[in-house]
Amino acid sequence: MNPFLAMELLHECTGNDLWSIDHCNRRNVPSAWIEELAGGFESSYQIDSETIYVGDKKVNQYEGIRDVDLAIKLGEYLGVDTAPLQAIALTRHGLVRAIREAVEED
């Protein structure tokens, strides 16, 4: 991992997406990070924002990485203490935005 790739990946994070393991590998996310952050996720069909889509198709389960978790890891790699940001962020999107801002201020 180099700082330029870390910044590029951080700017791809929204806070609301799941990245597939294949996508992470193609984007050169370190394999140790993939192993640490990967998990299985289940859809909730009752609330659209909690439903997982692959393209336009709803899926029951998905193996991948939450991009908010990746953003935290990237922020820490880039020298940001993310704990205070996590404590005050109201949304995952807001946390990713705060991490980006903290990185850009340095």
Side-chain angles (χ1 to χ4, degrees):
M1 175 70 65
N2 67 60
F4 296 109
L5 176 59
M7 285 294 297
E8 187 176 309
L9 293 173
L10 182 58
H11 282 282
E12 289 180 32
C13 294
T14 66
N16 297 318
D17 292 331
L18 294 172
W19 288 22
S20 71
I21 303 302
D22 185 51
H23 179 75
C24 290
N25 284 321
R26 284 194 316 265
R27 296 297 295 127
N28 295 314
V29 174
S31 57
W33 290 13
I34 295 171
E35 186 175 314
E36 176 186 343
L37 300 174
F41 300 90
E42 288 192 22
S43 277
S44 166
Y45 291 111
Q46 297 177 11
I47 302 170
D48 191 59
S49 65
E50 295 177 2
T51 302
I52 301 171
Y53 291 88
V54 176
D56 292 335
K57 183 180 177 187
K58 294 179 183 181
V59 295
N60 291 332
Q61 297 178 339
Y62 191 82
E63 179 75 21
I65 294 175
R66 294 184 332 153
D67 71 346
V68 66
D69 296 330
L70 180 59
I72 292 166
K73 199 79 167 155
L74 291 163
E76 291 169 352
Y77 171 79
L78 293 166
V80 173
D81 181 5
T82 63
L85 302 175
Q86 292 178 63
I88 62 171
L90 299 177
T91 64
R92 294 184 307 264
H93 177 75
L95 174 57
V96 170
R97 186 176 58 243
I99 293 169
R100 273 194 218 125
E101 289 171 1
V103 166
E104 291 168 359
E105 288 175 2
D106 286 345

